Amino acid sequence: MSIRVEHLNKRFGDFVAVDDVSLEVESGELVAFLGPSGSGKSTILRIIAGLETADSGNVYFAGQAADHLHARSRGVGFVFQHYALFRHMTVAQNIAFGLSVQGKPKAEQSRRVHELLDLMGLSGLGERYPGQLSGGQRQRVALARALAPEPQVLLLDEPFGAVDARVREELRHWLRRLHDEVHVTSIFVTHDQEEAFSVADKVIVINRGRVEQAASPADILDHPATEFVARFIGDANVYESVAQGGVVPVGKLRIPADGIGDGTPVAAVLRFYDLKFWKEDQGLARVVRTMTLGDRVKVEAVIDDGPVIYSQFPRRSSLLAGIEPGCRIHIEVTLARLYPHNSAAGITVATA
Ligand code: ADP
Ligand code: MG
């Protein structure tokens, strides 16, 4: 079932939590709301769920206005970080809960419970109590419980926030697998970009109650629509400078800035992996540190007459040959995003 949200607004007192938000989720899509804490993600999700009312704006399910529908009538399944399982019920009873509320026959409940236990890799655990499960298993039971009544829409609000990093990764994998099996239209709220990018078909970046960009993970990385998105997503160097003679100077580094008028203040965003460092005695920067981070190496350098700059290389890259603390380097910018402060849209400058 598709979801469309139009011109949603919500205030708490004087505070604008949701500011003219419009967005679309296609039927069967898995979409992530990604943004910093306090940006309004949960509020938008709760309005879609019918748990919160908007001051203005509309929510449509499959093209039909849903605003007057009670949360219970919206066909929505939820998984929240703090939406705990019923401790005094077995795993099977937890999963069957929604079905028994609907008065579904026992045989049907049992069939559905077994199907979901299977699907979630929980076979054989139906008679356990939540206290006898690991954190990751509990969250899978929560997913199964939400899916049991076959909701039209699944809403997940930071569902994996309370488990450790390794289990989180496992749960992401479960969520994606599950979605590929059942194709229920899903919205997944997270402040963790890796989580959003690894799970979602489309990512909606939210900041200060507004939608900054709605696009595929690759598009968000390669074509960040706003300065906020460029700064927030991916590891990037960000410099404030002023365009001068067709370049944006950052210390001795010159970033080509065709078409930006002299004297225009610019934010330049250079992703770590869009930079190449070459060992070169006549270079324009000096390496300070190299950090080996598993499959990557991060290199910290200082630009002559300028700030610190980071780059990142695959661990085995030939570009790393001779790069060590103290050596002089040349810097090649393969891709830069420039945000003139007098215009809304950024400019991509490919220089390779
Ligand atoms: P997120 O989920 O992105 O962290 P929320 O939607 O929970 O953000 O909250 C957005 C902002 O609205 C926050 O500043 C939060 O404090 C405020 N807020 C949320 N719910 C309420 C409420 N019931 N009363 C007052 N302020 C609220
Ligand atoms: Mg939240």
Side-chain angles (χ1 to χ4, degrees):
M1 182 154 74
S2 66
I3 301 168
R4 195 168 83 243
V5 162
E6 281 182 0
H7 303 296
L8 225 52
N9 288 283
K10 178 74 182 177
R11 285 167 176 269
F12 294 108
D14 283 345
F15 182 79
V16 179
V18 180
D19 187 2
D20 194 29
V21 163
S22 297
L23 57 86
E24 272 192 71
V25 179
E26 282 169 41
S27 187
E29 231 179 359
L30 172 49
V31 167
F33 286 178
L34 173 65
S37 176
S39 56
K41 306 180 296 294
S42 296
T43 305
I44 299 167
L45 199 74
R46 291 171 56 79
I47 293 170
I48 293 172
L51 297 172
E52 187 87 74
T53 37
D55 298 334
S56 60
N58 302 93
V59 176
Y60 300 88
F61 280 5
Q64 303 292 312
D67 309 277
H68 62 284
L69 289 180
H70 190 274
R72 271 197 300 276
S73 316
R74 293 193 185 196
V76 166
F78 299 104
V79 184
F80 295 141
Q81 182 181 329
H82 300 293
Y83 195 51
L85 298 176
F86 305 116
R87 273 186 318 193
H88 59 285
M89 288 187 192
T90 64
V91 166
Q93 288 166 341
N94 265 282
I95 296 174
F97 180 75
L99 299 171
S100 75
V101 167
Q102 290 176 349
K104 289 275 162 28
K106 281 274 185 256
E108 187 184 333
Q109 291 186 28
S110 163
R111 183 187 53 74
R112 184 81 180 128
V113 166
H114 281 97
E115 199 176 283
L116 284 160
L117 285 171
D118 241 20
L119 187 63
M120 299 307 293
L122 296 165
S123 298
L125 301 182
E127 296 316 307
R128 292 218 192 156
Y129 286 86
Q132 300 170 305
L133 300 177
S134 71
Q137 287 169 334
R138 274 202 289 271
Q139 285 307 85
R140 277 185 269 154
V141 175
L143 270 176
R145 183 175 64 179
L147 283 169
E150 304 191 44
Q152 305 267 20
V153 169
L154 184 62
L155 302 177
L156 306 109
D157 194 350
E158 313 244 8
F160 310 146
V163 295
D164 67 45
R166 201 184 47 78
V167 178
R168 269 180 97 103
E169 194 160 331
E170 188 190 299
L171 286 166
R172 283 176 204 166
H173 163 83
W174 276 109
L175 175 62
R176 187 63 232 190
R177 242 192 74 176
L178 184 74
H179 187 264
D180 292 340
E181 290 272 334
V182 297
H183 294 294
V184 54
T185 308
S186 304
I187 303 177
F188 176 81
V189 167
T190 180
H191 64 271
D192 179 330
Q193 50 176 286
E194 194 175 315
E195 190 153 282
F197 284 22
S198 61
V199 165
D201 303 314
K202 183 167 92 187
V203 176
I204 300 184
V205 182
I206 294 169
N207 176 41
R208 301 171 67 171
R210 284 193 298 264
V211 172
E212 296 269 344
Q213 186 167 13
S216 70
D219 264 354
I220 285 183
L221 282 169
D222 291 344
H223 307 287
T226 65
E227 185 181 335
F228 172 82
V229 176
R231 284 173 180 264
F232 181 67
I233 310 279
D235 292 325
N237 302 281
V238 182
Y239 304 113
E240 299 290 340
S241 185
V242 175
Q244 213 54 256
V247 301
V248 171
V250 177
K252 286 266 162 68
L253 181 67
R254 302 274 181 275
I255 303 163
D258 289 343
I260 299 182
D262 276 7
T264 306
V266 173
V269 180
L270 311 178
R271 293 210 192 285
F272 293 179
Y273 54 75
D274 287 330
L275 294 168
K276 287 180 182 154
F277 290 179
W278 310 95
K279 186 166 164 28
E280 189 176 299
D281 293 341
Q282 311 306 315
L284 52 80
R286 184 177 53 81
V287 171
V288 179
R289 227 156 48 106
T290 64
M291 291 153 267
T292 304
L293 310 168
D295 56 344
R296 299 162 292 135
V297 174
K298 192 165 144 186
V299 181
E300 177 183 341
V302 176
I303 302 170
D304 290 352
D305 305 327
V308 164
I309 188 164
Y310 291 96
S311 178
Q312 187 176 289
F313 302 88
R315 176 98 180 268
R316 312 284 182 213
S317 170
S318 56
L319 289 172
L320 279 168
I323 299 268
E324 55 196 17
C327 81
R328 305 272 312 154
I329 53 167
H330 178 65
I331 297 173
E332 184 184 313
V333 178
T334 49
L335 192 76
R337 295 279 305 177
L338 302 178
Y339 294 86
H341 283 182
N342 56 4
S343 89
I347 296 171
T348 304
V349 186
T351 59

